[in-house]
Amino acid sequence: MSYDIENAFAKVSHAIIIQSLRALGVPEVIISVIQEYALIGYAKVEVNGKTGLLFLIKTGSGQGDPLSAVLYIIATEPCNRALVKITEWFLFQSSLGIRFHMKLYADDSKILLQLNNGTGLQEIHSLYEKYTRVSGLTIY
């Protein structure tokens, strides 16, 4: 089974990053620093030589921003941890008893499953649906 998150780095909500940091137990003083340093940004759009109004950037991070990957990983970590718990009973096991663990990449996951019925698959889909509603990300 494979899932991919569409335009993940550009679309992850700053609110989700903050919620994830709190869920991971990061102290508020560190969260405040990350919020002030990495999540507050402003931009203007220029079209045909005319510059628009200044607006607050609420999702994603700047192109080329070295923190963008780290912030994205922070935002998805609670979902990944829940996914690990859900799938531990459904992971593929070889005839030698070796379990094949999932591969979690920056914006997609690959899971070798061994299912006897659709219950495990429904649990995984449900988790991703909940995360989609909370995060605003599109998961395929």
Side-chain angles (χ1 to χ4, degrees):
M1 189 168 98
S2 177
Y3 283 93
D4 183 64
I5 301 176
E6 178 186 45
N7 295 325
F9 292 86
K11 291 185 178 178
V12 68
S13 150
H14 294 175
I16 292 300
I17 294 169
I18 298 301
Q19 289 173 10
S20 295
L21 288 166
R22 288 189 175 120
L24 295 169
V26 174
E28 284 297 319
V29 67
I30 302 293
I31 293 172
S32 177
V33 169
I34 290 171
Q35 201 167 8
E36 292 291 322
Y37 176 71
L39 298 182
I40 294 181
Y42 296 92
K44 290 182 181 182
V45 177
E46 184 178 322
V47 178
N48 296 329
K50 295 189 179 195
T51 304
L53 298 173
L54 187 68
F55 64 90
L56 177 67
I57 299 170
K58 296 180 182 178
T59 61
S61 59
Q63 185 174 354
D65 182 349
L67 287 178
S68 64
V70 173
L71 295 173
Y72 172 76
I73 290 168
I74 288 168
T76 57
E77 185 60 18
C79 181
N80 288 340
R81 288 182 182 193
L83 186 61
V84 167
K85 281 185 179 182
I86 287 172
T87 59
E88 73 180 331
W89 302 109
F90 308 116
L91 292 174
F92 179 77
Q93 186 170 338
S94 75
S95 58
L96 299 174
I98 299 169
R99 285 199 178 264
F100 291 83
H101 294 279
M102 69 180 67
K103 301 290 183 201
L104 299 171
Y105 301 100
D107 65 344
D108 62 350
S109 60
K110 308 230 183 293
I111 311 166
L112 288 172
L113 298 172
Q114 184 172 330
L115 299 170
N116 296 327
N117 58 47
T119 305
L121 197 54
Q122 289 171 345
E123 288 182 49
I124 294 167
H125 283 303
S126 175
L127 172 68
Y128 275 125
E129 285 174 11
K130 289 175 188 173
Y131 186 71
T132 296
R133 283 194 303 272
V134 170
S135 69
L137 297 172
T138 304
I139 302 173
Y140 296 104

